[in-house]
Structures are given as structure tokens and as C-alpha cells.
Amino acid sequence: MKNIIVAQSGGPTAAINASLAGVIRGAAKSQVYDKIYGAVYGITGVMDDHLVDLTEKFQPDSAEWARLYASPSSYLGSCRFRMPDAADQPEVYQQIFATLEKYNVGAFFYIGGNDSMDTIDKLAKYGKSIGSEIRFGGVPKTIDNDLVHIDHTPGYGSAAKYIAATMLEVAHDTYVYRQPCVTIVEIMGRNAGWLTAAAALARTAYSKAPQLIYLPEVAFSGEKFLADIRKLLETEHNIVVAVSEGIRDAEGNYITASDAVNDLFAHAQLSGVGKTLEQLVKKELGVKCRSVELSILQRCAAHISSETDLRESAELGEAAVRYTEAGNTGFMSSLLRTADEPYTYELKMAELSEIANMEKSIPRDWINTEGNDVTEALLRYMRPMIEGEAAVSYTAGLPDYEPINHLTGE
């Protein structure tokens, strides 16, 4: 029997460990695979031969497995390593495949987003070029919900639930005062506004907050932004605004407080749009204004994760194992929605070569004509993903998450 290696990459989420738990459960059911190894710190863990044996520690449906399933962040650690082209640096691939051969690996699973799918796609293509029988599968993950060829991405539902709950609580906080006030909440989203759109789920019969939502899919105008707020202040005391970190003007320039710096994948590292707009409101409108940046809080709040999100994440991890058992490689496990009400879906495969380095944006007709809110179609799309609460256990008043001693060094 062959063995499995699984790794996690990119930004962590509240559901990425559920995907890992799914791969583990799939391996335990397998008649093809024996041991399952986890690579610490993504693909670099394979390069450095830094692996941990997960086989006995996380027996499926045990208390330990259940704790991993509901724990935030990447249990195995992550990385931002950009795989070079095999033609340019073949030694990198030779080193990786030497480790795979050493551990008698029959399948390698990479849990991650756009850049991770690029990594596993390159490995699958290299494996095919040298006649390797090792199978390579991607398991989707990203709070950004911007992967193509999948209805929605594991990790998004939990982040959306946190954002909506937080916006509802912010609304309750703002309504206690009568004096005019604007609260701006900056939400992650470089090129796609899925996370910021989730703020609309916070609206209730008694609260319209957030009254304004600005997404990267629509060019941002400072003048229009001020006019929107000025008009609302004519009839309302408290205005809550949800804004994506990646909003840009008509010329494509980011609205940030400082120059954006690119990461290894040439992605802009953004921050400061909330503070920039806060200063603009204070200066031009002369009303009280504060800004809040959710930052990493929206991706690690496992105490309010979506059970729908965790369940689907585990199912996609388990499905990836089944697909390799059937002889498939160079794929990403995917999810196709079949109905909204009641919400139903089916699992399938998607070709990695059609996913890597692609981004899914919000359709323009899911954003209102003014470019400052979302439509009912988008709300209908998002609602099923935040349903259900994960069974998180508590000790001494705090969530009892799976220890990460191998990452903390304690």
C-alpha cells in the first residue's frame, strides 16, 4: 500500500483544518493508502523533509479528530512559497519528488487557494512529464471565495458568518447614541468583494446597517462616497459602512493610506482604506467618524464558524482521496450548487490547469446600479453558507482548540 502526504498553504481559515480532517477520514477508509503524513509549513515542509505522522493521532470521528475539525488556522502551518517553473529550477522538483519517493507516497494533497492550486498543478504536470505514478489533488480553501470552477470556497462561509455577526454587533453599538456618527468597517478583499458583501447579511427588521457597501468590482469615487453619506445623514443619525480593502478609483489606483507592497506572488499587501475614508469624512463632513479593520479576525474566529462550511470542507477533503483512488490526478475537488431553497449541492472534480491563478469576482448584476450595495440575488447566494454552529468545546471559559506545539515550539 502507498502513503499520503497532505499540506496546507496560503492564509489560514476557520475551516482549513476541517479539510485536513476530511483527507484523514478519506485515508482511513481507503483500501489503497496506508499512512498519512502532514508536511509542516506547506510545500517547504516536503522540501525540508519536515513531516509528521497523522495516522494514529487523528483516528476519524475520535475526540482528537473532532477537535482538529473545529480548530482554526492551519494545524500543519503554512507558507507563501512560489514554485518556480520546472524548466528553470528542476532541482526543486527533484528534491520534492525524492521526498515523495522516500515515504512511498501514492498521493499528495494540497489544501489552499489560487497560489496553492498553482503549486499542485505544477507538481502534477512535472509528475506526468517524468512518468511518475504519484497522484496530485488540490483541496480548495480561501476566505476570499475567489476560486473559479466551484460554487463557493471552503473558509468563506465561516468568515462571512463572523463578518455578518460582527456587523450586527457594531450596529447595536452605534445606535445607542443620537448624535451623527459614521462607522467604517474595513474588510479583506483585494480584487473580489465577497467578504465585504457578507456584511449585508447583518441587516434585520430593526436595522438597515450597513447602509453602504463598497466593493472592488465597482470603481470608487470619493465624491460619490461623501454624497452617499451626506444624503443618509439627512434622515439617519448613525451610518455604518462596509468597505473592501481593495477598492480602487476609476484609474485603478488603490484607495489606501500608504503605498501598497507586493508579496511573492505579486499581490498587493493592502491596509489603511478605512483610516483614509475616516479622515475624509471628518474633514469634509465634520461629523464623528471611526474606522475598524477586521484584519485577521475574520479568518480565525472558529468560535463562530459555520457548520455548513466545516462539513463541506471535510467532504471536499475526503472526496479528493476518493478521486485519486480512482486514478485521477491534476484536479481540485469542487462543489456544484444544485438548488438554493432548500440548499443542495453535489461534489465533483475540476481541472487544476483551469483554476490556478484565476480569480472569481462578484457578477456586476449582483451589485446595485449605484455601486454602493448588493442585490437580493447575492444575499440568496450567501445565506446557506453561514448556517449552523460548530460544536466547539470549552475549557476554563475558552475554546479548546487542537494544540500546535510543533509550530509554537512549546
Side-chain angles (χ1 to χ4, degrees):
M1 295 180 71
K2 294 287 187 177
N3 299 318
I4 283 175
I5 285 183
V6 58
Q8 299 167 311
S9 184
T13 80
I16 190 171
N17 285 333
S19 296
L20 174 59
V23 173
I24 293 171
R25 185 166 62 192
K29 293 179 179 179
S30 175
Q31 300 300 310
V32 176
Y33 304 118
D34 185 15
K35 289 184 176 294
I36 177 166
Y37 296 100
V40 181
Y41 301 123
I43 191 63
T44 63
V46 181
M47 297 168 63
D48 299 336
D49 197 357
H50 189 180
L51 308 182
V52 292
D53 192 337
L54 307 173
T55 313
E56 298 301 325
K57 182 176 178 62
F58 297 111
Q59 289 295 312
D61 303 315
S62 65
E64 198 79 6
W65 183 92
R67 186 161 65 169
L68 173 68
Y69 171 89
S71 290
S73 191
S74 306
Y75 174 77
L76 294 171
S78 184
C79 70
R80 294 284 189 183
F81 180 79
R82 184 176 181 85
M83 283 289 290
D85 290 335
D88 297 332
Q89 296 185 47
E91 66 277 6
V92 173
Y93 292 79
Q94 293 164 2
Q95 183 179 4
I96 291 171
F97 274 74
T99 301
L100 300 182
E101 293 294 341
K102 175 182 176 180
Y103 288 91
N104 191 33
V105 171
F108 179 26
F109 302 100
Y110 213 31
I111 307 171
N114 290 308
D115 302 324
S116 302
M117 295 307 111
D118 176 70
T119 294
I120 199 70
D121 183 42
K122 288 177 177 176
L123 290 173
K125 290 176 178 175
Y126 179 81
K128 183 178 180 179
S129 72
I130 64 173
S132 172
E133 294 184 355
I134 301 172
R135 296 156 189 169
F136 296 88
V139 181
K141 171 266 354 164
T142 175
I143 64 171
D144 295 321
N145 195 38
D146 59 355
L147 287 180
V148 299
H149 295 300
I150 187 169
D151 181 78
H152 55 273
T153 312
Y156 173 67
S158 293
K161 188 182 184 83
Y162 172 81
I163 289 167
T166 299
M167 293 299 291
L168 178 58
E169 291 163 352
V170 166
H172 273 254
D173 184 90
T174 61
Y175 282 123
V176 302
Y177 298 112
R178 294 191 63 186
Q179 63 262 41
C181 178
V182 177
T183 302
I184 300 170
V185 182
E186 178 181 339
I187 299 170
M188 283 182 174
R190 184 189 302 113
N191 298 318
W194 299 103
L195 283 169
T196 305
L201 295 171
R203 292 169 180 159
T204 67
Y206 58 82
S207 170
K208 294 182 290 185
Q211 293 93 331
L212 297 170
I213 298 176
Y214 298 97
L215 310 174
E217 286 83 355
V218 178
F220 182 83
S221 164
E223 291 76 15
K224 176 67 163 54
F225 166 71
L226 291 172
D228 289 343
I229 294 178
R230 189 179 289 111
K231 181 178 180 180
L232 285 170
L233 286 172
E234 293 176 359
T235 56
E236 301 181 44
H237 293 298
N238 299 288
I239 312 301
V240 179
V241 180
V243 59
S244 293
E245 64 179 358
I247 58 169
R248 286 161 287 184
D249 62 22
E251 285 72 45
N253 301 309
Y254 287 109
I255 311 297
T256 59
S258 59
D259 294 334
V261 178
N262 290 346
D263 66 11
L264 292 175
F265 293 89
H267 301 322
Q269 300 299 288
L270 307 174
S271 66
V273 63
K275 185 60 67 175
T276 298
L277 297 183
E278 174 191 336
Q279 297 302 322
L280 181 64
V281 169
K282 287 179 177 177
K283 177 182 177 182
E284 299 298 329
L285 301 184
V287 299
K288 181 180 179 181
C289 183
R290 63 166 64 90
S291 60
V292 179
E293 182 180 355
L294 297 188
S295 188
I296 64 171
L297 300 177
Q298 57 210 301
R299 72 186 193 190
C300 63
H303 64 285
I304 194 171
S305 55
S306 157
E307 177 54 31
T308 296
D309 188 26
L310 299 188
R311 185 190 68 250
E312 292 176 346
S313 299
E315 289 176 351
L316 286 162
E318 187 172 347
V321 178
R322 293 198 303 271
Y323 296 148
T324 60
E325 286 181 303
N328 296 290
T329 190
F331 67 87
M332 182 187 80
S333 54
S334 185
L335 181 150
L336 173 68
R337 184 185 304 221
T338 52
D340 287 324
E341 298 176 1
Y343 170 60
T344 57
Y345 60 92
E346 60 184 37
L347 303 180
K348 62 174 187 172
M349 287 187 296
E351 290 292 325
L352 280 172
S353 58
E354 299 178 4
I355 298 170
N357 300 309
M358 302 292 289
E359 285 185 316
K360 176 179 67 180
S361 299
I362 296 177
R364 183 60 183 87
D365 59 354
W366 283 7
I367 305 170
N368 71 347
T369 55
E370 290 291 310
N372 60 11
D373 204 350
V374 301
T375 66
E376 176 59 30
L378 182 49
L379 290 168
R380 189 165 57 248
Y381 165 80
M382 294 187 293
R383 285 186 186 115
M385 301 177 216
I386 68 170
E387 287 292 332
E389 288 68 54
V392 177
S393 60
Y394 285 75
T395 300
L398 293 174
D400 184 19
Y401 295 139
E402 183 61 30
I404 48 173
N405 305 68
H406 54 292
L407 302 181
T408 64
E410 297 296 330

